[in-house]
Amino acid sequence: MSDKKKHMTVFTLSMMTVAAVVSLRGLPMMAKEGLSMVFYILFASVMFLIPASLVAAELGGAFGRQGGGVYTWVKAAFGSRWGFTAIWLQWIQNVVWYPTVLAFAASALAYLFMDPQLADSGLYTGVVILACYWLATFLTLAGSDVASKVTKYGVLFGTVLPGVLIIVLGLLWVDQGNPIMFLENAPSTASGMVHARLFPHLNGLGSVAFLAGIILLFAGVEVHAVHANELQHPATEFPRSMFLAAAVIFLLFMLGSMAVAAVIPAREISLTAGLLQAFKQLLDKFHLGFLTPVIGLLAAFGAIGGVMSWVGGPSRGLLETAKQGELPPFMAKVNKNGVQVNILMIQAVIVSLLASLYFIMTNVSVAFFLLSAITITLYLIMYILMYAAAIKLRLEQPDLPRTYKVPGGLVGLCALAGIGLIGVCFSLLVAFFPPTNLPVGNPALYVGLVAGGLVVFVGLPLIINANKKPEWKQDGPTS
């Protein structure tokens, strides 16, 4: 009996994965593609979510006792330089991600203040990002348990509740015969029937540039792969949990984004405020407009709760590498509460600099997508290292104990990791192309910013590693 209690269930691990991946901020981005969102979500699920989950499960099962996640996995295959680069990229992409999720929170708060036009103001958005992030940082430095409480209730009331509500309202909208916006401009057959376009209209890679941003919405599954060895039968139960999670994620993203797309014309959907745009129209339609500010508050609460849960998380991984001598000793400094104070302050400064984009760019949606593109390029490099590590370790250390193995032997692993690599590399390529359905202004500047962010943030760990000194390694954290 006691042994059974130690095992995690398939459903529990599936829901943990869903909670880590699903975010309402991504619904407008997918809704902007109309029914083509089905293609994007299927692509992200088949070419990214499932391969990343299963490959990470094998690595997590092999090194579960050592901890360290992607740092340990890549280090075992390619040495400390690339292991450090991998964990650095996992950390820094999260830092770049903060302004995007807080921009969504700012747009939601605009509806709480009953002034939706604020969501289009770069000044307002930038100020909210800075205020929320620095508040979250100081709470984390205080060692407060506020973060766990905000995260717990934020997921429930700020993500699940609004997500279910937007789907229900969207179904009622369609059921009552209201116009479905994503079908308004769809081509018709000879008989007059509307023919929905499920595949993107390709006129260059810029027309599928949103794919990179949508891939980002599915990222992070490797975090929970370390729990594979907590299942009773990892070899069979982990794939089941991942396929169940993929199905739930697919349905939530598809139905939620379709609800937004059904109500708001694609050209009018804001990447930051699109969800609240749809909520306002739906609630007004059903004479529930007084609930719009409440939904705005809940959505913002959910987004801020997500940030609270991550502010101190990935930076702990960087703290561990600092203890092992991969970073200068001042990066290993902790305060009296055991919190990595210098890392958090550096993190906050980077977030502040990135948030300044909202002050200088005239279109909030463009700033949002630009930061998303920089984030995904960094994260995708990390996934390339992860897939390569899995293949190399299976080749060179076939007898390494693994609680879960990708089925099909070496061929099966190479095939699955190969699919993942194809999806990652294609997404990395299109991330550099400005989306055709956003007014990006100067395309060369857009590409330069994305490429510059990639070069700087990938180059930094390599430079740090090249200059590290033996005396950096310490037995414990400094305070």
Side-chain angles (χ1 to χ4, degrees):
M1 181 180 299
S2 60
D3 184 57
K4 289 184 179 179
K5 291 182 180 179
K6 296 178 181 178
H7 297 300
M8 184 179 292
T9 66
V10 170
F11 182 77
T12 298
L13 185 54
S14 296
M15 292 305 101
M16 287 173 62
T17 304
V18 171
V21 172
V22 173
S23 170
L24 298 182
R25 70 185 175 84
L27 300 187
M29 184 180 296
M30 290 182 283
K32 209 166 180 66
E33 293 298 319
L35 276 185
S36 297
M37 72 181 80
V38 177
F39 165 80
Y40 287 104
I41 297 173
L42 277 173
F43 181 94
S45 299
V46 174
M47 301 294 289
F48 180 79
L49 179 63
I50 293 174
S53 300
L54 299 185
V55 170
E58 175 167 319
L59 292 169
F63 298 96
R65 295 182 182 231
Q66 297 182 35
V70 69
Y71 169 73
T72 302
W73 308 342
V74 177
K75 179 182 177 181
F78 300 111
S80 63
R81 172 186 297 178
W82 293 107
F84 171 60
T85 301
I87 190 66
W88 170 281
L89 290 173
Q90 190 180 55
W91 168 72
I92 198 65
Q93 69 79 26
N94 215 64
V95 174
V96 182
W97 167 80
Y98 291 129
T100 65
V101 70
L102 288 175
F104 170 74
S107 68
L109 288 174
Y111 284 79
L112 170 65
F113 302 144
M114 300 299 289
D115 189 0
Q117 291 187 351
L118 279 176
D120 297 323
S121 168
L123 177 61
Y124 160 79
T125 302
V127 169
V128 172
I129 292 172
L130 291 173
C132 290
Y133 191 79
W134 279 99
L135 175 62
T137 297
F138 286 126
L139 287 174
T140 303
L141 287 171
S144 172
D145 62 351
V146 172
S148 60
K149 293 180 180 178
V150 172
T151 300
K152 175 182 176 182
Y153 293 108
V155 170
L156 179 60
F157 295 110
T159 299
V160 176
L161 181 59
V164 172
L165 183 58
I166 192 73
I167 292 172
V168 171
L169 291 175
L171 291 173
L172 290 174
W173 173 275
V174 174
D175 182 63
Q176 292 188 0
N178 294 292
I180 302 174
M181 291 300 135
F182 60 73
L183 295 179
E184 287 294 293
N185 297 319
S188 301
T189 62
S191 61
M193 295 291 291
V194 173
H195 175 65
R197 191 182 72 211
L198 297 179
F199 295 93
H201 179 65
L202 299 177
N203 54 7
L205 288 178
S207 59
V208 291
F210 270 33
L211 178 63
I214 290 171
I215 284 287
L216 176 62
L217 301 174
F218 288 78
V221 291
E222 78 282 353
V223 174
H224 290 308
V226 296
H227 297 296
N229 55 3
E230 296 178 29
L231 296 165
Q232 187 169 8
H233 304 290
T236 57
E237 291 182 343
F238 188 81
R240 284 167 48 201
S241 72
M242 287 301 102
F243 284 118
L244 175 59
V248 173
I249 292 166
F250 177 84
L251 289 174
L252 285 175
F253 274 149
M254 185 173 69
L255 293 177
S257 52
M258 285 183 74
V260 175
V263 178
I264 309 295
R267 64 183 177 277
E268 298 177 13
I269 295 176
S270 164
L271 292 186
T272 55
L275 178 68
L276 273 299
Q277 286 177 316
F279 259 124
K280 185 177 189 308
Q281 188 154 331
L282 286 166
L283 291 171
D284 287 346
K285 173 69 177 179
F286 298 113
H287 309 291
L288 297 171
F290 63 92
L291 289 177
T292 301
V294 177
I295 297 297
L297 177 62
L298 291 177
F301 180 45
I304 294 171
V307 169
M308 287 292 297
S309 69
W310 284 95
V311 165
S315 58
R316 293 295 298 185
L318 209 61
L319 175 65
E320 293 304 314
T321 63
K323 293 177 184 177
Q324 296 186 32
E326 298 292 344
L327 287 167
F330 77 91
M331 295 287 280
K333 182 178 180 181
V334 297
N335 62 13
K336 63 181 181 180
N337 299 309
V339 180
Q340 55 280 14
V341 57
N342 285 345
I343 292 178
L344 286 185
M345 295 307 294
I346 292 172
Q347 183 171 288
V349 170
I350 297 173
V351 171
S352 299
L353 292 173
L354 292 172
S356 67
L357 280 172
Y358 287 95
F359 297 133
I360 62 178
M361 299 190 74
T362 56
N363 190 300
V364 172
S365 287
V366 173
F368 176 91
F369 190 79
L370 173 61
L371 287 171
S372 295
I374 296 173
T375 301
I376 194 59
T377 56
L378 298 173
Y379 216 168
L380 291 178
I381 296 295
M382 190 220 76
Y383 279 110
I384 290 174
L385 290 172
M386 186 186 80
Y387 286 130
I391 294 173
K392 186 176 182 183
L393 288 170
R394 184 75 82 90
L395 284 169
E396 297 184 352
Q397 301 184 42
D399 298 326
L400 180 71
R402 297 167 171 88
T403 55
Y404 168 77
K405 275 189 174 184
V406 171
L410 178 61
V411 174
L413 174 68
C414 290
L416 188 69
I419 291 172
L421 281 170
I422 291 172
V424 163
C425 291
F426 181 72
S427 301
L428 183 62
L429 174 65
V430 300
F432 289 95
F433 286 80
T436 55
N437 49 357
L438 277 182
V440 296
N442 186 340
L445 177 61
Y446 177 93
V447 175
L449 288 171
V450 175
L454 179 64
V455 170
V456 169
F457 289 127
V458 173
L460 278 173
L462 296 176
I463 293 172
I464 292 172
N465 182 268
N467 291 279
K468 73 175 182 179
K469 298 176 174 55
E471 57 267 26
W472 285 4
K473 189 170 185 179
Q474 52 189 272
D475 296 329
T478 61
S479 57

